[in-house]
Each structure stands twice: as C-alpha cells, then as structure tokens.
Amino acid sequence: MKLTQTVVVPVASPDDATTTAEAVAPYLGEVERLVFVYVVEKAGGAPDKASVEQREGYADEIFETARETIGANGSSTEIDGRVVYGTGIADAVFDLCDKIGAESVALVPRDSSRLLDLLVGGRMDAFVRDNNVPVVVLPND
Amino acid sequence: MTDDELAKDLGLLSALTIGIGTMIGAGIFVLPGLAAEEAGPAVALSFVLGGAIAMLTALSASELGTAMPKAGGAYYYINRALGPLFGSVAGWGNWLGLSFASAFYVVGFGSYLAVFVTLPSLDLVVLTLSPAQVGGVVAGLAFVGINYFGAKETGGAQNVIVVTLVLILTLFAIVGFLNADFSTLRPFAPQETGGYASVLPAAGLIFVSYLGFVQITTVAEELKNPGRNLPIAVIGSVGIVTVMYAVLMLVLMGVVPWYEVAEFGETAVVDVAEIAFSGVFGERLLFGLLPSTAVGLGLLTFAGLLATASSANASILASSRINFAMGRDKIVPDSLNEIHPRFATPYRSILVTGVITLAFVVFGSVEILSQAASVLHLIVYGLLNIALIVFRETEPEDYDPDFRVPFYPIVPILGAVLSLSLIYFMNPSDWLLSGVLVAGAVVWYFAYARRNVEEAGLLADYLMEDSDEMPDAAVSAAEAVAPDDYRVMVPVSNPRTERDLVRLGGAVAKARNGKLVAVHVVTVPDQTSLRRASESDAFTGDKTVIENARQHAEEMGVPVETHTVFSHRSLEEVFDAARTYEADLAVMGWGDEGRISAGRAETVIDELAHDLPCDFLVYDERGGDSSRILLPTTGGVHTELGAEVALALRDAVGSEIRLLHVADDRDEGEVFLKDWAEANGLSDAERVVRTGDVEEVIEDEARDASLLLMGAVSEGLLSRLVGGSLVYDVVNDVDTSVIIAEKARHRSLFERIFGKG
C-alpha cells in the first residue's frame, strides 16, 4: 500500500499552517501531491459562527501562509489548497479524501486542554476514530 | 452534494425561525405592560400598524436580499446604493441598534429569570442594578460567551426552540380566549390613555417587537435557494408575528382589564397565564396532579426565557456579520473582524458588541433600550427603502432580483416615509439619539472611513456620471463625499512589459495623488472552472509578476493595491476588472502574444469599444525611453488625456515635451496650438506647427523623439487596435515607443435608456 501519493493536510489557522507546513516540509520529496484543506464548519441549519465569505477569505490567508512556509524549493510535489464545508471537521476532511482519491491524511495535533475540548469539542478524537484512510500524526516541535 | 450546496445549509424553516425567533421575544414577553399603559386595548392596532410598516420594509429587504445574497444585509445594500457616507450611518445604526436590542432582550431574560430564581439587586455606589438587570448582565455574558467560543448550536435546536415557543403561545392564546370576557376590551381606546391618538405613539413604543426580519438578510449567503426562501421567510415571519401580537394583546386584555395588565409590568403574560389557566382548568389540571397556576406560570416563564434568549443570541450574531461587511468595505478597520485561531469566530467583533451591550444593560431601562433600538433600526429601514429606489433607478448590470416589490415605487416610498416619520412619535430623547448617531457616523466617515473606502456607491456614480443633467448642488455634494483617490489600474500578466506599464501608470497616479491598482489577469482554459482555478492559484499562480508590480510602485512612492482575477476571456476581463476596481484610468500593453490575440470575436470587442469603463492608455514599448515626448494634437478629449500623461511623465522622469500641430494654415495653426498648450498646462513645452500630410509629418518628427503620445482619433479606436483589427500606419512606421490615449465617453442617461451609442 502506498501512503504518500496524495496526502491531505488539514489546517485551521495561519499559526497552525506554519507549524503544519514546517512539519510536512521534510517529507515533501516523498509525496506527489499535497492538499492543504480548511474546513468551514457549518451549523447544519442555524447561522454559522462567522460569515462563510469571511471564512473563505481566512482560508486564503491560511493557504498563503502554508505555501510561504513550505517554500517553492523546486520540488516536483504539486501543492494545492481546498476549502470544504461540513458539520464535522474530520468527516469533511475524509469526504475530501474520498472525492480526490487521497491515500492518507497528515496532521499535527494542536495544543489543547481538557476544558477547551469539553467546550468546543476535541477534534483529534474523530480523526483517529472514524477514519477511512490512514492518518499520519506528525511530530510537533 | 456540491460544495456550494454544503455551504448553503439554511432551509426555509431555519430562515423563518431566525425571523420569528428574533422578533417574538420583545412584543409579547417584555412590552405588554408598557404597551397597555400607553394605549389600552387599542394597542392591538399599534401592533398592526407597526407590523404594516415593517411589512413595507420587509418587501424591500426581500427584493434586495434576492438580488444580493451577501453577508451584512441592510447595511450592505445601503452602502452600495447610497455610498459610504450613508453606509457609515447605516452600519453604525444597525450595529448599535442591535446592541440596544440585545441589551433590551437580555434585561427581558433577566425579568423571566427572576420569576424562577431570586436575583439580588446590586448597589454599585453610583447606580443600582435591579434584579432584572443583574440577570441581564449574567445572560449577556453567557450569550457573548456562546458566540465567542462558537459553542456548537445545531440547526435543530433553533427550530425546536421557536416551534416550541409558537406552540406555547398558541396554547396560551386558546386558553386565554376561553377565559376572556371581551367586555373588558371596552372602551377600546380609553380616555385615560388619550383615545385613538395614542395609537401612533404606542406604535413607536412597540416597534422594537418587529426588529428581526432584516436579520434574515444578514445571513442570506447561507440560505438554500435564496430567490425563493428569502422573501417567504422575511415576509412570512413579519406576517405571522403581526397576527400573533395582535391576537395575544386582545387576549391579554380580555382576561384582565388593560390597567391591570399595565400594573403587571414586564412579565404580564405570566400573571395573566396564571389567571387564565386556573379559570379554564379549575384549581388543578392533568387529573389533579398539578396546580393550574403553576403550569401557566411555568410554561410562560419558560417561553419567555426561550424567546428573549433566541432574540439576544440572534442579534449578537447578526451584529458580527454587519461588522464583517463594514470591514469588507473598509468603513471599520478589518482587524475588528479577525477570526479566532481556535474557535473560528469573529471574536473581537463579538467582544466589542458584548461590551457595548452590557454597558447599555447597566445604564439603560427597558423603555430607553427599546426606544433606542427602534429609532436606530427605523433610520436603517428608511435608508433601506431609499436604497431599493436607487437600485431600481440606476439598474446596475448585476442587479437581477428574483423577487420584485409590488406597486413600485409606492411601496418603498411609503416604507421610507412611514419608517422615518414613526421616529417623530417617539420621545425627544430618541430624536436626540438619532441626531447623535447620524452626526457621529458622518464624523466617523470623514475622520476615518473616507481615506479607506473605495466604492462611491451607485447614487454618487449616477450623479457624477450625468453631471450635466443633474443639479450642481447634488453633483458637488456627491463629489465632496466620494472616496477621493484617483485609481490607475494596470493589468499585469507579462513579466517583460509589466515594468514599463507600472512605471507609466505609477507616473500618472503620482501626478494625481492617486493609487495604483495592479491586477493580475490569469487566463484559464474554458474547461477549468474559475472557482477551481482560484482555489488552486493560492499555490500555482504566478505571484512574482504581481509582487514585482508592487515593488515598482513602492519604489516610485505610489500607494498600491493588488488583485488577482481569473478569466476565460482576457480583454473582457480587463474591462470587467476596471469596473470592479473602480478604475479611473487603465494602462495596458498591446502586442503581448496570446494575451489579446487578433482574430477574436470582433463583435464582442466592437460592443466593448463603445463603452469603455474608464480612460485607457495603450502602451507599445519598443525599447525607447520616455525622455523626449512627441505629442501631436488637433484638440479633442483624447489628446487632453495625452497631455495629462505627458505632464505626469515630465514630473516623474523629466521628459522634454514637444507639441505638434499639423495645420492647413500655419498662422492659424500657431494660434490654435498656443491656446491649446495653455489650456492644458503645457505653455512651456516646445511647439511645432507644420503643414503637409499628417502621417508623414508625424513620422518625420518622431525621428527625434523617443516616445509618441497620441490621443485616439475616434471612439473605439483603441479596442480595435488592441484587437488587431485596425492597421494604424503611423504606429507601425515609427520606431519610437507609442502610447495611445482614449477617454471614456460618459453616456448620458438618455443614451443609456434608449441604447444609442
């Protein structure tokens, strides 16, 4: 099984994009296509917490940061950015994997606390529980 | 499902419940006591009147919402139609109006909380907080927290809340009706409250009950099928709520006389429910399990909590959308709308709104808060109706609403007049507040926003475009408040020519104290969707071209902004971009292989040629510098633009300018050229007058020059040149670089209507 043809990398904020891009950079040569993905979380029938247009603009900012961090260092890896929509972050990411035929998801766990997880929902959990492709957890330093 | 379908997940029920949920909180759960005191049973008429005024605006909001389903709603339409000055008034009015409304709702929430739990009153030395205010502060903090952390609310929850509310109120109406003695409704308009004359002031008092239908438009971008669902939701929610209010008011005052309702105060429905439930069900209900009064009290208190909570929450959320839209138009700093890295919420906007709201809770009373909220919204509603008229009259190209207001223009005119005149029936302190808001917003516009905003608004465009036909005062007013920068757009795509184009554009921008707008037009194969292209471009587009453009402009000390657009057709896209970015002048090169290729559908170009979106300079750079400029003239607006460019180049790089006039008679020619030079600020330029064949003379004179600068000899010349359909001999026969200038022709209103041109 090849894990590294198309890799989907979820990013959540410009800071997260920097951390994640740094963590991904060393493996760039082994990957054919790297797809950064930002999930616009939908409330599923209630108004969202922020305007969709605003979130899409935010996604552009995040992709830009990711691209700058990873650098155009002449590698042949194709780098892409996608905005997806869904009521659950992990589900939306795995849906995208299905759609574009990605072989794996790579992510960097974000600092969190029990309290925050309780308030806004732990996200790592869903990534390792309901995955349809292998999930690579990159070291965060 | 496509991405677009996923992004738009609010159905009709959700949209309706946003409207009903926001509105239902106030009229029935907070105001009945005050309202009964103001007009007696006749206050039901005030609710019908308020609902009718709201309905007029709802019709306008529906048309605008289906035409532009964008975040921001009312503010957005007003800003686009009437420009940033009124945009500031509308934005601030809507934002602060929502803050007052939120404060009013949370104090109402506090009153209902006080029915269930004992709340202390707080003595803060300078002022004392009532238990309801203490509850309001707690609730306010909670709602701000919910929106700050983005705690997950599911669509289901909101629908359940509102449907529950409507059911409880329906049950209450039925029980009340069974228990009512309608003789207590007489006299319908009691003398003590001033008879029917008090209906109007009471309508002003209760108008806060109808704030909320416009909130649906602030989330229009998230609606499924907005063309259908938005009008149904906006108009439907106003209709449903109006009927409920009128019926419930009559029921309340049928169960107990109006003056007792007045004595019950804010939670009058709870007191009336206790009486009605025990009257209908006897002392105990459900087989004697529960005391009837407790059931009535419990149900209505619960409903009161739900209603005020949903109103407050929706208002806080809507105000962050308005902030976002104001930031998008640069009326407030965009940093206000920063997204929280973890919660993905516009946390700063939420916090600022929260602080303002809590301050209002602490310093205001229910009556003050409701009046302030109403008066600010009424200003916004008045402007919204005027905005609709402006959209209809100026008919911008992209204005294509699915829903159209019936009986135009009567409906929006009535809507504007009635909304604004309702302010007259409020307290003088509310007039003062509206005055302070308008003055504050105007000061804000001139002190802060005017420097930043780019869009002048349809009304100002319209007035300035047809300046010959409009009254001078209107035109100069429009010019005085318009954003003041002159915008030079340079489409950059070819790294080879980009530098020269930017320098030329930069020189003109600098001379005009304006701004350079570098637009990177990326041509995309027809089979690739533009959206897909824009998504992947964040990585694969050629950013160096636009970065270089930025650098060149910065080196010249010219302010610059950059944009990237994707298109299947490049020349048309340049025209579109010139319109989008409100360019006054566009600078482009010709002869860039492939970019604007000859043999394109000429019909398209011919059409475009008659309607340039702004002035154009087309630059053919052939290695020459711009140290010696030759400017042939026979007069005309296009050559005047050329003169302006020559002056700008002289300022920027110290060019020598030689004016050339080819005349039949040398003496007459001398006089003409002298006058022309003076009129165009070029009296110190070298003047040459010659006779003979125009093209030969120009060719001959061009030998000593490094740059030939010409005005277009006829309209549409430029586009045909660029399109390669016209061979212009002079241009091919000289060795110098060539710039051709063409002024946009401003078509008059008459021509636009009758399609001449």
Side-chain angles (χ1 to χ4, degrees), chain B residues 42-353:
Chain B
V43 81
L45 287 182
S46 308
F47 274 97
V48 173
L49 183 67
I53 294 174
M55 185 60 89
L56 293 170
T57 305
L59 291 167
S60 293
S62 298
E63 172 170 332
L64 294 168
T66 60
M68 295 160 281
K70 301 265 285 178
Y75 153 76
Y76 177 79
Y77 319 134
I78 294 165
N79 188 59
R80 245 203 93 188
L82 305 178
L85 178 60
F86 287 99
S88 298
V89 173
W92 280 100
N94 211 349
W95 183 16
L96 292 179
L98 281 170
S99 301
F100 275 115
S102 306
F104 168 77
Y105 301 136
V106 296
V107 173
F109 185 92
S111 313
Y112 283 88
L113 203 57
V115 175
F116 273 144
V117 293
T118 317
L119 293 168
S121 55
L122 268 186
D123 194 355
L124 299 177
V125 189
V126 280
L127 75 176
T128 312
L129 294 188
S130 70
Q133 281 172 305
V134 173
V137 169
V138 174
L141 288 172
F143 297 132
V144 168
I146 287 171
N147 286 289
Y148 183 99
F149 293 112
K152 214 164 166 178
E153 185 200 355
T154 59
Q158 178 197 276
N159 293 348
V160 169
I161 288 174
V162 175
V163 171
T164 308
L165 252 174
V166 173
L167 288 178
I168 294 177
L169 287 173
T170 309
L171 175 68
F172 172 61
I174 294 169
V175 170
F177 181 80
L178 293 176
N179 200 55
D181 168 8
F182 287 101
S183 67
T184 62
L185 292 179
R186 291 172 194 282
F188 193 61
Q191 286 306 312
E192 297 93 316
T193 62
Y196 283 101
S198 57
V199 169
L200 275 172
L205 174 75
I206 58 87
F207 194 75
V208 71
S209 316
Y210 291 103
L211 312 181
F213 61 94
V214 170
Q215 259 78 301
I216 301 173
T217 65
T218 64
V219 294
E221 58 167 352
E222 295 170 38
L223 292 188
K224 284 180 202 161
N225 192 2
R228 168 180 170 269
N229 290 342
L230 190 132
I232 298 179
V234 173
I235 295 165
S237 60
V238 173
I240 292 170
V241 166
T242 306
V243 171
M244 288 180 73
Y245 281 151
V247 169
L248 286 166
M249 282 300 143
L250 293 178
V251 165
L252 279 180
M253 286 177 263
V255 176
V256 296
W258 64 268
Y259 42 85
E260 282 183 38
V261 175
E263 277 166 27
F264 287 144
E266 276 136 41
T267 54
V269 275
V270 174
D271 300 294
V272 174
E274 287 183 281
I275 297 166
F277 273 72
S278 60
V280 170
F281 298 107
E283 214 167 284
R284 305 184 77 83
L285 49 66
L286 283 178
F287 313 107
L289 286 174
L290 296 165
S292 304
T293 50
V295 172
L297 176 140
L299 273 180
L300 269 293
T301 308
F302 179 61
L305 290 172
L306 287 184
T308 47
S310 69
S311 299
N313 199 43
S315 302
I316 292 172
L317 190 74
S319 57
S320 76
R321 293 291 202 282
I322 292 161
N323 279 171
F324 164 65
M326 290 169 84
R328 185 173 58 196
D329 296 324
K330 304 199 169 68
I331 284 182
V332 294
D334 218 16
S335 56
L336 177 66
N337 296 311
E338 194 170 290
I339 294 222
H340 194 283
R342 177 172 297 273
F343 309 127
T345 53
Y347 66 108
R348 288 184 183 160
S349 160
I350 299 280
L351 276 186
V352 173
T353 303

Side-chain angles (χ1 to χ4, degrees), chain A residues 49-132:
Chain A
K49 29 194 191 179
S51 157
V52 171
E53 184 188 335
Q54 189 175 9
R55 299 283 294 273
E56 287 169 346
Y58 190 55
D60 286 343
E61 203 184 306
I62 292 171
F63 294 153
E64 196 63 40
T65 311
R67 192 178 80 111
E68 273 165 21
T69 310
I70 215 157
N73 51 5
S75 97
S76 61
T77 309
E78 185 190 334
I79 298 176
D80 222 341
R82 291 288 291 263
V83 180
V84 297
Y85 309 84
T87 46
I89 293 196
D91 287 346
V93 169
F94 291 129
D95 283 349
L96 177 69
C97 292
D98 262 353
K99 209 150 115 192
I100 63 173
E103 283 81 11
S104 60
V105 167
L107 50 77
V108 177
R110 304 170 68 194
D111 294 329
S112 191
S113 69
R114 292 261 172 217
L115 179 65
L116 276 177
D117 283 352
L118 205 64
L119 279 173
V120 296
R123 282 157 192 182
M124 276 310 287
D125 222 29
F127 273 111
V128 293
R129 213 168 353 96
D130 302 323
N131 47 332
N132 58 2

Side-chain angles (χ1 to χ4, degrees), chain B residues 277-568:
Chain B
F277 273 72
S278 60
V280 170
F281 298 107
E283 214 167 284
R284 305 184 77 83
L285 49 66
L286 283 178
F287 313 107
L289 286 174
L290 296 165
S292 304
T293 50
V295 172
L297 176 140
L299 273 180
L300 269 293
T301 308
F302 179 61
L305 290 172
L306 287 184
T308 47
S310 69
S311 299
N313 199 43
S315 302
I316 292 172
L317 190 74
S319 57
S320 76
R321 293 291 202 282
I322 292 161
N323 279 171
F324 164 65
M326 290 169 84
R328 185 173 58 196
D329 296 324
K330 304 199 169 68
I331 284 182
V332 294
D334 218 16
S335 56
L336 177 66
N337 296 311
E338 194 170 290
I339 294 222
H340 194 283
R342 177 172 297 273
F343 309 127
T345 53
Y347 66 108
R348 288 184 183 160
S349 160
I350 299 280
L351 276 186
V352 173
T353 303
V355 168
I356 296 172
T357 301
L358 289 178
F360 291 162
V361 170
V362 170
F363 294 107
S365 70
V366 163
E367 197 174 351
I368 291 174
L369 295 175
S370 70
Q371 294 281 80
S374 296
V375 85
L376 298 185
H377 277 84
L378 283 167
I379 292 174
V380 174
Y381 294 171
L383 292 174
L384 179 100
N385 284 296
I386 296 169
L388 178 102
I389 296 171
V390 169
F391 272 104
R392 282 283 189 101
E393 293 306 311
T394 59
E395 278 288 324
E397 270 170 49
D398 54 348
Y399 187 71
D400 185 22
D402 290 325
F403 171 86
R404 292 180 89 87
V405 171
F407 305 112
Y408 177 86
I410 299 168
V411 166
I413 290 176
L414 268 182
V417 170
L418 292 179
S419 298
L420 296 175
S421 44
L422 201 51
I423 296 175
Y424 172 79
F425 292 103
M426 299 192 160
N427 300 324
S429 60
D430 300 312
W431 304 343
L432 184 68
L433 176 69
S434 0
V436 168
L437 169 90
V438 172
V442 169
V443 169
W444 174 263
Y445 173 70
F446 282 102
Y448 171 80
R450 190 169 186 234
R451 281 180 283 128
N452 304 301
V453 294
E454 287 148 19
E455 307 274 342
L458 295 169
L459 184 63
D461 290 350
Y462 180 75
L463 291 175
M464 289 195 268
E465 201 165 298
D466 293 312
S467 41
D468 296 342
E469 294 158 31
M470 293 291 165
D472 285 350
V475 176
S476 55
E479 277 169 358
V481 298
D484 44 8
D485 58 346
Y486 182 85
R487 299 165 61 79
V488 180
M489 184 183 89
V490 181
V492 291
S493 53
N494 183 334
R496 192 171 55 79
T497 56
E498 166 258 311
R499 185 185 168 88
D500 295 304
L501 295 179
V502 169
R503 286 197 165 169
L504 176 59
V508 179
K510 194 163 188 178
R512 284 275 206 139
N513 269 331
K515 192 175 207 179
L516 192 82
V517 184
V519 177
H520 185 197
V521 179
V522 180
T523 316
V524 178
D526 282 339
Q527 56 272 27
T528 307
S529 86
L530 297 179
R531 169 152 187 103
R532 187 183 197 84
S534 65
E535 278 169 4
S536 61
D537 173 73
F539 298 91
T540 53
D542 187 357
K543 294 275 175 197
T544 51
V545 184
I546 202 130
E547 260 324 299
N548 287 345
R550 176 186 289 282
Q551 257 177 29
H552 290 319
E554 276 166 3
E555 280 163 20
M556 298 175 73
V558 178
V560 61
E561 65 182 53
T562 61
H563 302 277
T564 302
V565 296
F566 299 88
S567 170
H568 296 311

